[in-house]
Amino acid sequence: MVEVNPNLQLRAEVKNLSFSYSTEKKVLNSVSMPIYDTKVTALIGPSGCGKTTLLRCFNRMHDLYKVKEYQGEITLYPEQMNILSKDIDPIEVRMRIGMVFQKPNPFPKTIFENVVYGLRVRGVKKTSFIQERCEKALQQAGLWDEVKDRLNSSAQMLSGGQQQRLCIARALATEPEVLLLDEPTSALDPISTAHVEELIIELKKDVTIVIVTHNLHQAARVSDYTAFMYLGDLIEYGPTTKIFTNPADKRTESYITGRFG
Amino acid sequence: MQQEVRNRKRKDLIFALAGLFSLVFAICTLLVLVLDLWTTGFGRIDYNFLTSFPSRFPAKAGILSAWVGSLCVMLVTAFVAIPIGIAAGVYLEEYAPKNWLTTIIELNITNLAGIPSITFGLMALGLFVYKLQLGQSILTAGLTLALLILPIIIVTTRESIRAIPGTIREAAYAMGASKWQMIQHHLLPYSAGGIITGVIISLSRAIGETAPLITIGALTFIAFLPTSPILHEAPFISFQWLKDSFTVLPIQMFNWVSRPQAEFHVNAAATGLILLLLTLVMNGIAIAIRYRFRKKIKW
């Protein structure tokens, strides 16, 4: 059982979360962990351990596909709302929790329309406000200087790294409370990766981040807390420095030293 | 070793030659057809031919009522088939639950696209002409052809939507979009190129259809135009033209071919040429639209 640090402010808490795609096998097995406010939490583990599945529970992405049962809770603070509850509309959850995907997936629209899409969905009409938000989000994503002169050109003209930062800007434009990053740099070159990592460290001042990564060095560099998962179980959770220097579990140690994975 | 490579390359050559031969054969047949129509009919096409009604005298006969009829029928067809076809395609692809009933419906729609068109004519005769008392009118013809091309529009709509990667849907949903917003802001605009292409190609098929229209009782000799849709006094627009009898280009052509006089055959060739040209233009527009959209959106 993971102890919650009372000195830190909680943003979300996963409580005994189990999830399965089909009836036979559980992909998540009673996972419990805290997500602290304005910290970066990294989910690591070998392929198929359930880290992406866990991440996609946070914005109810699984609801898009054939009916799935969530067991357990993800409580969103401060109002302690269980976002997995059937009474909560997934759209409401997604309006508060943003997500950036593994492969950059900008819409085939202009750069401007990509960034402000979240506002369009919410029916925001005021042009000055939309433009302000667009600039701010692009600044936050470190893309403003590169695109400010061509906001009306197609997002598909950008490089892969720029596209991913555009997707981050798109997620930030609606000021989400939590930002989910699903292996955001796995499709990027080293320079773009470094760029995005700097960005993550910069962003955590304002927003809580949960990141899934295959890259252990990345987890060590950007995260404050790390959760190691294996075959659907949460094996170990703790401050990143502790997980990487002095893991309590044998399996965690084998994984971070590269003996399997 | 060398022998073996040479053998394989020979097979390569044989297949390439067979393919080339088939291609040349197909194109030559088409060319001969078009050239034949051209040499016979081109000289006959002039302003008078386009603005005269059919007549007993081949030299005075024209295709005015036929092309106006074709245009009116196509209008009704497009007006009915496009919205229903696109909506049905979107529903099947995005909303319909994935179960055996949906699968049966999907299978049957694909089958419908291959049903002989005269069957649609028979069905329309029973349903629109006798049961619903719509008469042997432009409305009946338009509805019949709409039913005929509906499956094609549904299938192309579904295929165009399916070509949009799932990551785009997820991106839209992750931004908090509702299903309809996702469809309206993303699926429909991104698949518009494919859908419009399908619509135009299906319309160019409908414009050449003869059998179902003869079945419902289209007249072959029409020496008047449908009622004008615009009136000089209130309410200014009239839908009386929907109830008028009509003829269309392929029926006019059929009518002239079946006459004994050679001069009428020339008229038929000229009509055929115009029909061919229309189809060609429509398909050209479809290709241009597809090209433009492909250039704009790549996955």
Side-chain angles (χ1 to χ4, degrees):
Chain A
M1 205 55 205
V2 177
E3 294 283 326
V4 174
N5 185 342
N7 300 323
L8 287 169
Q9 203 178 353
L10 272 174
R11 173 51 77 177
E13 194 177 7
V14 183
K15 290 177 192 159
N16 302 317
L17 176 63
S18 295
F19 183 84
S20 60
Y21 291 104
S22 58
T23 40
E24 309 113 54
K25 206 173 136 266
K26 275 191 176 158
V27 185
L28 293 177
N29 198 0
S30 195
V31 173
S32 296
M33 61 186 280
I35 304 291
Y36 294 116
D37 194 31
T38 60
K39 299 278 183 242
V40 177
T41 306
L43 306 177
I44 61 168
S47 298
C49 70
K51 52 194 192 304
T52 295
T53 305
L54 173 60
L55 191 78
R56 288 165 69 96
C57 285
F58 277 92
N59 68 346
R60 302 266 303 258
M61 231 33 191
H62 301 299
D63 287 49
L64 296 182
Y65 304 97
K66 229 178 148 192
V67 187
K68 300 286 168 0
E69 287 277 345
Y70 302 94
Q71 283 162 359
E73 285 185 17
I74 295 179
T75 313
L76 197 62
Y77 286 80
E79 70 269 55
Q80 305 212 7
M81 167 178 108
N82 173 20
I83 57 174
L84 298 183
S85 154
K86 283 204 170 68
D87 307 327
I88 305 280
D89 196 297
I91 292 176
E92 198 184 321
V93 177
R94 292 178 200 137
M95 282 170 67
R96 299 178 57 177
I97 299 182
M99 182 164 182
V100 175
F101 296 81
Q102 191 169 353
K103 225 180 115 219
N105 54 0
F107 302 127
K109 295 178 186 281
T110 64
I111 295 171
F112 179 78
E113 279 306 323
N114 264 280
V115 179
V116 305
Y117 184 64
L119 303 172
R120 293 258 188 267
V121 162
R122 286 157 180 74
V124 178
K125 289 279 183 306
K126 217 174 136 203
T127 322
S128 59
F129 176 78
I130 291 175
Q131 277 167 347
E132 220 171 83
R133 272 293 180 78
C134 172
E135 179 176 345
K136 189 180 162 210
L138 283 169
Q139 296 268 19
Q140 280 180 300
L143 197 60
W144 176 249
D145 291 331
E146 290 159 61
V147 302
K148 62 181 174 202
D149 302 321
R150 46 175 175 150
L151 288 177
N152 286 319
S153 59
S154 168
Q156 293 186 322
M157 305 295 281
L158 299 173
S159 72
Q162 288 174 322
Q163 286 188 2
Q164 193 62 308
R165 278 181 285 147
L166 179 70
C167 292
I168 294 175
R170 182 172 70 188
L172 289 172
T174 52
E175 303 191 329
E177 296 156 42
V178 181
L179 186 61
L180 310 171
L181 306 173
D182 183 7
E183 297 190 44
T185 61
S186 67
L188 304 185
D189 61 87
I191 294 169
S192 305
T193 300
H195 223 113
V196 170
E197 285 182 13
E198 279 165 37
L199 199 66
I200 294 170
I201 294 167
E202 193 61 31
L203 283 174
K204 71 175 182 181
K205 286 182 201 146
D206 308 310
V207 55
T208 307
I209 292 172
V210 185
I211 177 171
V212 164
T213 178
H214 251 115
N215 181 339
L216 291 174
H217 298 291
Q218 183 171 68
R221 280 191 298 264
V222 304
S223 72
D224 305 298
Y225 288 83
T226 298
F228 171 64
M229 297 179 65
Y230 184 60
L231 298 176
D233 291 309
L234 177 65
I235 304 295
E236 194 170 349
Y237 171 91
T240 299
T241 42
K242 180 172 180 302
I243 297 277
F244 278 90
T245 54
N246 188 19
D249 195 285
K250 201 93 197 107
R251 286 166 292 182
T252 316
E253 194 192 338
S254 318
Y255 182 70
I256 59 166
T257 51
R259 248 169 284 164
F260 80 105
Chain B
M1 188 71 159
Q2 262 187 337
Q3 183 60 41
E4 202 257 354
V5 171
R6 217 174 296 141
N7 264 336
R8 282 197 279 157
K9 293 197 89 168
R10 189 179 305 131
K11 278 182 194 161
D12 231 8
L13 188 69
I14 291 172
F15 183 78
L17 281 177
L20 186 68
F21 177 76
S22 315
L23 183 72
V24 169
F25 182 75
I27 292 206
C28 281
T29 323
L30 195 70
L31 265 180
V32 167
L33 249 155
V34 174
L35 275 179
D36 183 44
L37 273 182
W38 186 278
T39 45
T40 335
F42 187 69
R44 183 68 185 83
I45 300 175
D46 55 16
Y47 182 75
N48 278 332
F49 186 64
L50 296 176
T51 53
S52 307
F53 289 110
S55 154
R56 287 188 292 134
F57 309 104
K60 279 210 221 154
I63 55 167
L64 178 63
S65 52
W67 73 255
V68 173
S70 273
L71 192 78
C72 293
V73 171
M74 279 308 108
L75 260 177
V76 176
T77 302
F79 196 75
V80 174
I82 294 173
I84 297 183
I86 293 176
V90 169
Y91 177 83
L92 276 176
E93 200 55 33
E94 292 299 315
Y95 288 93
K98 302 271 173 279
N99 55 27
W100 60 270
L101 187 66
T102 317
T103 315
I104 288 178
I105 292 175
E106 284 169 359
L107 267 174
N108 277 302
I109 286 175
T110 323
N111 278 339
L112 276 180
I115 279 181
S117 56
I118 194 154
T119 326
F120 282 93
L122 279 177
M123 196 274 296
L125 183 68
L127 181 69
F128 298 136
V129 180
Y130 293 137
K131 198 102 199 163
L132 300 176
Q133 295 288 324
L134 297 178
Q136 294 159 344
S137 60
I138 290 176
L139 182 63
T140 305
L143 290 176
T144 311
L145 294 185
L147 285 183
L148 185 75
I149 65 169
L150 206 51
I152 309 175
I153 298 183
I154 295 176
V155 169
T156 42
T157 301
R158 296 189 60 196
E159 272 163 13
S160 316
I161 289 180
R162 213 176 306 158
I164 298 169
T167 52
I168 292 290
R169 290 160 213 256
E170 289 197 344
Y173 282 127
M175 295 307 302
S178 66
K179 193 166 208 162
W180 172 238
Q181 282 178 319
M182 197 274 297
I183 292 170
Q184 184 193 7
H185 299 154
H186 302 285
L187 294 192
L188 288 180
Y190 308 157
S191 59
I195 295 176
I196 297 171
T197 308
V199 164
I200 296 177
I201 285 174
S202 65
L203 284 178
S204 76
R205 181 189 161 186
I207 206 170
E209 275 299 340
T210 326
L213 299 187
I214 291 183
T215 318
I216 60 169
L219 299 178
T220 50
F221 187 92
I222 294 267
F224 54 87
L225 286 182
T227 325
S228 167
I230 299 160
L231 302 177
H232 291 295
E233 57 231 49
F236 298 111
I237 44 169
S238 148
F239 289 103
Q240 185 55 41
W241 60 277
L242 286 172
K243 299 291 254 173
D244 291 337
S245 39
F246 67 99
T247 191
V248 290
L249 287 167
I251 291 178
Q252 184 64 69
M253 190 178 159
F254 172 72
N255 173 247
W256 280 333
V257 170
S258 47
R259 299 275 189 102
Q261 299 98 315
E263 291 92 334
F264 277 119
H265 297 171
V266 174
N267 283 356
T271 317
L273 202 59
I274 285 174
L275 200 57
L276 206 71
L277 219 68
L278 267 177
T279 321
L280 213 70
V281 167
M282 287 170 87
N283 286 341
I285 294 172
I287 291 170
I289 289 174
R290 186 161 45 191
Y291 176 75
R292 264 193 60 133
F293 269 84
R294 286 238 175 104
K295 230 172 62 175
K296 228 172 67 190
I297 297 176
K298 36 187 175 307
W299 306 116

